[in-house]
Structure formats: structure tokens, C-alpha cells
Amino acid sequence: METILDRLWSDANLNGCFMTPQPVPSRAELLAALQLQYEWGVDEVLSEETIDRLSEASRALPARTEMPLRPQTPSVSIRSSASSALEQAKDLPSLIAASETLDDLFLARTATHRLKPVHVEHAPFMLIGETPDADEDRSGTLFAGRAGGLLERMLVSVGLDRASLSMAPAVPWRPPGGRGVTDQEMRSCQPLLLKTIALCRPPLIVTMGVTPLRMLLGDQAMLNRLRGKWTAVAIPGLPNPIPLLPMRHPLQLAASPAARRNAWQDLLVLMERLDVENRVQSQS
């Protein structure tokens, strides 16, 4: 009796080629694929068998009906009304509520938690973080996990307390699978970040990582060239530009001893500016 293997071997000989056996995935590879599906939002299996939907579809195409052309204005009006709601927000809770209706924020549908800004009255500066990592996505807390521990050690070394600082995420939602944020996603989240800054009105801004720097200073901004140097950023709704200091993200400090030396130098630059601000306020 001819077996399946005999038939496959015969077909391969007829076609002038030989079939190469496919490698069997290891347990680690299967677990990694399962974890990726979980991070993408898959939470259940709908069917154990693959269904060929194309074979069920009718081969004949339906008759084409001519429809009058209409301008695509509804989506534009909806986006405009959502953007208007952002501009009209009077505080952070209303801003967060208004941002939930934005159509082009696909990240909001896939992330586990949203990172919310933290406003501290009379904070010396606002700290703006990077795209959320896995720890932040799971907890919904800015600078959670290892990044939070490193940040607190950095602040303590210069006499600062995390609880006394205003903080905001550049992008409130983690991209699926931890991939990098796209330019389109940064442009979609930029109005939300600008309005957050306008509502908190911080005297100084410290960005950590390249994402908040590019969202505030433009796509051509380079962290290696700008870090440790004060610049200014104009925020819509505020009368004067805000001084901004770019720094590396805490998780980037493990890259090399030079990165850690640069971080310490940047902290000294920040403390020097804070001392000047404190002297000005005490004299006024």
C-alpha cells in the first residue's frame, strides 16, 4: 500500500525537486510566539481549525453599481471636533476624557494601560518620558520598574524627590509588541502632549529620550547633539517659550560608562539652572 510519504517522494521526483523537512519549533520559540500574540491583544482562540474563507466566497463578482461621488467630510469633522475638545480642555481630567475620542490614536486600542500625566503644584520642572515600556504598560505608572528605580537614584543624587515633580508621557500608550513608535503616531499624540504642558505650565521642561525631544523640537532633533544644553520650546496657549533640557532616558545609562558620565553632567546643568531660578524667586 502506498503511503503518504511515498506519494510525496514521487511528486517531488516528478517535479525535479526534493522537499526539505521543516524544522520543528522549540518550546521557547512557541512560548515567545504566544507572548507576542498576548501583547498584540489576542485573549482567546475562536477556532481550532483553519477556515478557508476564500473557498466559501462566490466566484462571481457582484454587479457594480455607480454611486454618486460625495466628499469625505464626516471623518474630518469628527477629527476636528475631537481636536477642538482637546483645545477647550480646562484641566487634565477633561483633557484625558477628550483624548479618548480621537479616531487616529490606534495605540489606545492595543495598550494594556494608559499613562496619565502627573501635575504637582509649584514643581520645579516637568519630566517628560519616553514611549511606555512593558513595566509602565502593565502598571499604568510613569517610570515604573527598572527605569523608575534608576530615575529615583539619579534624582536623589542631586537632592531631588520624584514626588515633587510634574511628569508626563510623550506617548501615553505602548505600541504593540514593544515596537518603536512611528512618525504618524508621534504626530497624533503631539497635540495631547502640548496641551498637557500648557495646562501644567511648568517653569522648565526636562525630556528623557529621543521621542519627547522630537515631538517638541521637530523630527530633525538629535539627542546626542542637544543633550545637556538648554534650549526653548514654544507651547501653544502659553505667552512665553519654556526652557527645555534634553537628557538620556534612565534605561540608556547602561549602554556605556560615557552615558552615565553624560547623565551626571546633565544633572549638574539642571541643578545649576534650578539654583538660578531659586535665587530669582527669592529676590522678587
Side-chain angles (χ1 to χ4, degrees):
M1 180 180 296
E2 184 182 19
T3 64
I4 296 177
L5 290 178
D6 294 333
R7 187 179 306 169
L8 292 175
W9 179 262
S10 176
D11 292 342
N13 288 334
L14 291 177
N15 294 331
C17 62
F18 297 93
M19 297 185 63
T20 302
Q22 298 297 321
V24 178
S26 65
R27 177 182 177 86
E29 291 172 337
L30 292 175
L31 289 176
L34 183 62
Q35 178 65 26
L36 180 61
Q37 294 293 322
Y38 173 76
E39 293 180 350
W40 281 353
V42 178
D43 57 0
E44 61 179 336
V45 177
L46 299 181
S47 177
E48 296 183 355
E49 298 181 358
T50 303
I51 301 177
D52 187 1
R53 300 296 184 185
L54 295 178
S55 62
E56 299 177 357
S58 175
R59 295 294 182 180
L61 294 176
R64 181 177 179 179
T65 58
E66 297 294 335
M67 299 293 294
L69 295 178
R70 294 180 299 175
Q72 301 295 323
T73 54
S75 60
V76 176
S77 62
I78 293 175
R79 187 179 298 111
S80 298
S81 62
S83 300
S84 178
L86 289 182
E87 297 174 359
Q88 296 175 4
K90 302 301 182 182
D91 50 30
L92 290 181
S94 60
L95 177 65
I96 293 173
S99 65
E100 300 292 343
T101 62
L102 295 177
D103 295 339
D104 51 355
L105 293 181
F106 174 76
L107 296 178
R109 310 173 193 172
T110 59
T112 303
H113 288 98
R114 171 190 181 143
L115 300 187
K116 297 180 181 180
V118 176
H119 175 53
V120 176
E121 197 72 25
H122 306 300
F125 59 88
M126 170 177 277
L127 198 62
I128 303 179
E130 259 285 358
T131 305
D133 59 16
D135 291 325
E136 292 173 315
D137 184 50
R138 282 192 294 265
S139 64
T141 302
L142 280 161
F143 295 102
R146 182 165 174 261
L150 292 172
L151 174 64
E152 292 174 0
R153 292 171 58 185
M154 293 171 60
L155 296 174
V156 169
S157 67
V158 291
L160 294 175
D161 182 14
R162 169 177 177 160
S164 64
L165 303 178
S166 295
M167 295 186 293
V171 177
W173 303 277
R174 183 179 188 236
R179 62 165 174 78
V181 64
T182 66
D183 292 342
Q184 177 59 43
E185 289 165 346
M186 283 193 288
R187 286 192 293 269
S188 299
C189 294
Q190 185 186 43
L192 181 59
L193 175 60
L194 294 176
K195 187 61 178 180
T196 300
I197 298 174
L199 290 175
C200 295
R201 307 176 75 90
L204 304 172
I205 294 175
V206 176
T207 59
M208 286 194 154
V210 66
T211 300
L213 182 64
R214 292 179 59 191
M215 292 176 65
L216 293 177
L217 298 185
D219 295 340
Q220 304 303 319
M222 300 182 64
L223 181 59
N224 290 336
R225 294 183 179 180
L226 296 176
R227 52 144 291 273
K229 302 175 183 177
W230 286 101
T231 183
V233 56
I235 303 298
L238 296 183
N240 300 316
I242 300 179
L244 182 148
L245 179 67
M247 293 182 59
R248 299 183 189 274
H249 192 271
L251 293 180
Q252 297 175 329
L253 302 185
S256 65
R260 293 187 286 275
R261 287 195 299 269
N262 292 339
W264 175 248
Q265 294 169 358
D266 297 345
L267 285 174
L268 295 180
V269 172
L270 173 61
M271 294 308 299
E272 182 180 1
R273 182 61 178 260
L274 291 178
D275 290 340
V276 173
E277 295 290 333
N278 291 334
R279 287 197 299 267
V280 171
Q281 291 181 2
S282 62
Q283 295 174 1
S284 59

